[in-house]
Amino acid sequence: MGVRKAKAEETAAALKEAARRQFVERGYLNTKITDITAAAGRATGSFYDHFASKEDLLQALLADLHGHAHDRLAGEDHPPHDLTDRDQLREHLAVAWHLMRDNRPIMIALFEQAMAAGPGAGELWRRLTEDTWVLREHLEHLRETGHPLPGDPELVAAAMGGLLSMLAYALFTGGPKSGRSDDEVIDTLTRLLLHGLAGPGSPPA
Amino acid sequence: MGVRKAKAEETAAALKEAARRQFVERGYLNTKITDITAAAGRATGSFYDHFASKEDLLQALLADLHGHAHDRLAGEDHPPHDLTDRDQLREHLAVAWHLMRDNRPIMIALFEQAMAAGPGAGELWRRLTEDTWVLREHLEHLRETGHPLPGDPELVAAAMGGLLSMLAYALFTGGPKSGRSDDEVIDTLTRLLLHGLAGPGSPPA
DNA sequence: GTCTATATACAGATAGAC
DNA sequence: GTCTATCTGTATATAGAC
C-alpha cells in the first residue's frame, strides 16, 4: 500500500472514529456532516472523498462491526440451545447486552435511522425479526421437542428482542446516573424471561 | 362562542386531524408543516395562526388524548392489582395495548420525537419510567406482601413497558401484513410475562 | 382568520485551487 | 488527497394583502 493510500485510510478511519463519538454525544440524526469533519480535524469537503453520505458511513461502521464479530465468533459452534435452562438463557442475554454496550454508536445510529425511516417502511419489525432469528430458531427447537411456548416463536423472539434493545437504548443514553450494573440488568431479565412475574415456585393455573 | 372563533376552532381541528393522518402515513419527523396544511386544505401560513410549531401541535394532540382518557377513567378505582394473577395481568396489558392502537399517530410521534431528541437527553428512560409508574407501584406492592420479584420494580416495570411499546410500534407500522390479532399478541405476552419461557409447570431451580 | 409571496436559515453536496 | 469557497435544495417562519 502506497503512502498516499495509507493517508487516505487514516483520514477515513479518523472520520469514522469521530462519527462514533458524535453519534453518542448528539445522536445520529442530529449529527451533521460538518460535526464529523470538525471533530476529526478535517475540512468539510474531505468527507465526500471517502463516503457518499452519512448513511454510507454508517454502513461502513456496520461492516467493521460484522468483521470483528466474525473474528470473535469464528470457529464457535452454535448448536440448539435450551432457552429454558437458566445458564444458557443468561448467556444469550449477556452476549446480546454486551454487544450493544460495546457498540453504542452503531446501535444508536441504527435505532434512530429505523425511526426516521418512518412507519410504512416497516423497518423496525423487519430488523426485530432479522436480529432475533437465533432466538426464534431456539424457540422452534423447543417447540419441536414438545415444550409448550407462550406463543408463536417469531412473536416471542421479537418480543424478547424488543425488550432488550429498548431497554439497552434507554439505559445507555442518559439513563439513571446512579448506574445499574450490567449484571443486575442481565440477572433481572433472565429471571423475568425464565419464570415471569409469578416466579419459579408458582403452581400451574 | 362567536362565528369567527368557531371557524378558527374548525380550522385548528382540521389541522390536527390532518396531522394525525400524516403522522401515520409519513411519520412525525418526515411530516412537514406544508404536508399538514395541504392535507387539511389550508394555506401554509394558516398553520401558525393556531400552533407555534409542529411540536406545539403534538402537545395539543396529547392534551386531547389526556382529556379523553380522563373522561373514560373518571370514577374508576385503581386499587393495588395482583400482577401474578393471570386475568389481572392480561387486563393491564390489554388496556395498554388498545390505548396505543387507538392512538397510533400520537404514539408514533412521541416515539420518533424521543429518538430525535438524541441521547444525552435521556428522554427514553424518562418516559419509560414515567409511563410505567402504575406497573411499578403494583410490583412494589407485590414485593411488600412478600412475593419475590425478578428484580428492582423500576427496572422490571421499565422492561415491561419497553417490551410493550417497542412491539406495538413495530407491529402497528407495517408489521406482518398477514395480520396478527390483538388477542394473539396480548395472550402471548400474558403467558410470557406471567410464567416466562419455562412455563407454568416448571419446578423451582 | 386566511391567503399569497417571500425572507431566513441551514444542511448537503460540489468545483476548483493547492 | 485535502483544502476553501460556493451552490443548491428545502423547511421554517413571517409580512402584508384581502
Side-chain angles (χ1 to χ4, degrees):
Chain A
M1 178 185 302
V3 172
R4 305 252 305 267
K5 196 162 186 178
K7 273 225 159 184
E9 292 291 328
E10 193 182 316
T11 294
L15 287 171
K16 286 195 280 192
E17 182 50 34
R20 267 190 278 262
R21 286 197 307 267
Q22 294 293 308
F23 289 170
V24 172
E25 268 181 45
R26 308 169 186 255
Y28 175 73
L29 297 174
N30 286 330
T31 295
K32 312 305 170 195
I33 306 286
T34 51
D35 293 330
I36 298 172
T37 52
R42 316 287 160 135
T44 308
S46 292
F47 182 89
Y48 297 94
D49 290 327
H50 302 275
F51 307 101
S53 62
K54 193 167 66 171
E55 156 76 26
D56 185 49
L57 184 149
L58 175 56
Q59 294 306 320
L61 291 180
L62 207 53
D64 292 350
L65 171 61
H66 285 147
H68 293 148
H70 188 271
D71 289 349
R72 287 203 308 187
L73 296 180
E76 279 194 33
D77 281 333
H78 209 281
H81 291 164
D82 178 7
L83 292 184
T84 63
D85 177 82
R86 192 192 174 282
D87 293 337
Q88 293 186 41
L89 174 60
R90 190 186 194 284
E91 181 60 17
H92 267 82
L93 297 178
V95 167
W97 189 261
H98 289 125
L99 190 71
M100 290 189 286
R101 177 180 276 302
D102 293 342
N103 298 281
R104 255 177 297 181
I106 297 177
M107 191 194 61
I108 289 171
L110 290 177
F111 223 101
E112 293 187 13
Q113 191 196 37
M115 300 304 299
E123 266 294 292
L124 262 183
W125 177 257
R126 201 183 57 74
R127 287 208 185 143
L128 218 46
T129 49
E130 271 187 18
D131 296 348
T132 56
W133 66 268
V134 175
L135 289 176
R136 191 174 70 248
E137 288 196 351
H138 290 166
L139 291 171
E140 281 166 354
H141 179 257
L142 271 178
R143 162 176 282 181
E144 283 159 16
T145 56
H147 190 95
L149 292 182
D152 182 67
E154 184 184 55
L155 182 58
V156 175
M160 293 173 67
L163 177 129
L164 267 174
S165 53
M166 186 70 164
L167 205 58
Y169 188 98
L171 279 172
F172 293 161
T173 58
K177 313 303 178 189
S178 49
R180 292 177 191 279
S181 71
D182 288 349
D183 278 346
E184 180 193 353
V185 176
I186 295 170
D187 283 334
T188 296
L189 294 185
T190 302
R191 282 187 289 263
L192 177 63
L193 289 174
L194 187 62
H195 287 126
L197 295 173
S202 65
Chain B
M1 177 184 305
V3 172
R4 306 253 306 268
K5 195 160 187 181
K7 274 225 160 183
E9 292 291 328
E10 193 182 317
T11 295
L15 288 170
K16 286 195 279 191
E17 182 50 35
R20 269 190 278 263
R21 287 197 306 268
Q22 294 293 309
F23 290 170
V24 172
E25 267 181 46
R26 309 169 185 256
Y28 175 73
L29 297 175
N30 286 331
T31 296
K32 312 306 170 194
I33 305 286
T34 52
D35 293 328
I36 297 173
T37 52
R42 316 285 161 138
T44 308
S46 292
F47 183 89
Y48 297 94
D49 290 326
H50 302 275
F51 307 100
S53 62
K54 193 167 63 171
E55 156 76 25
D56 185 48
L57 184 150
L58 176 55
Q59 294 307 319
L61 290 180
L62 206 54
D64 291 351
L65 172 61
H66 285 147
H68 292 149
H70 187 270
D71 289 350
R72 287 203 309 185
L73 296 179
E76 277 194 33
D77 281 333
H78 209 282
H81 290 163
D82 178 6
L83 292 184
T84 64
D85 177 82
R86 191 192 173 281
D87 292 338
Q88 294 187 41
L89 174 60
R90 190 186 193 283
E91 181 59 18
H92 267 83
L93 298 178
V95 167
W97 189 261
H98 289 124
L99 190 70
M100 291 189 285
R101 179 183 273 302
D102 293 343
N103 297 282
R104 256 176 296 180
I106 297 177
M107 192 194 61
I108 289 171
L110 290 176
F111 223 101
E112 293 187 13
Q113 190 196 37
M115 301 305 298
E123 265 294 290
L124 261 183
W125 177 257
R126 200 182 59 74
R127 288 210 185 140
L128 218 48
T129 49
E130 270 186 18
D131 296 347
T132 56
W133 67 269
V134 176
L135 289 177
R136 192 174 69 246
E137 287 196 354
H138 291 166
L139 292 171
E140 281 165 353
H141 178 258
L142 271 177
R143 163 176 281 181
E144 282 159 16
T145 56
H147 191 95
L149 291 182
D152 181 68
E154 184 184 57
L155 181 58
V156 175
M160 293 173 68
L163 170 92
L164 267 173
S165 54
M166 185 72 163
L167 205 57
Y169 188 97
L171 280 172
F172 292 161
T173 58
K177 313 303 179 190
S178 48
R180 293 176 190 279
S181 72
D182 287 351
D183 279 346
E184 179 193 353
V185 176
I186 294 170
D187 284 334
T188 296
L189 294 185
T190 301
R191 282 187 288 262
L192 176 62
L193 289 174
L194 187 62
H195 287 127
L197 296 172
S202 64

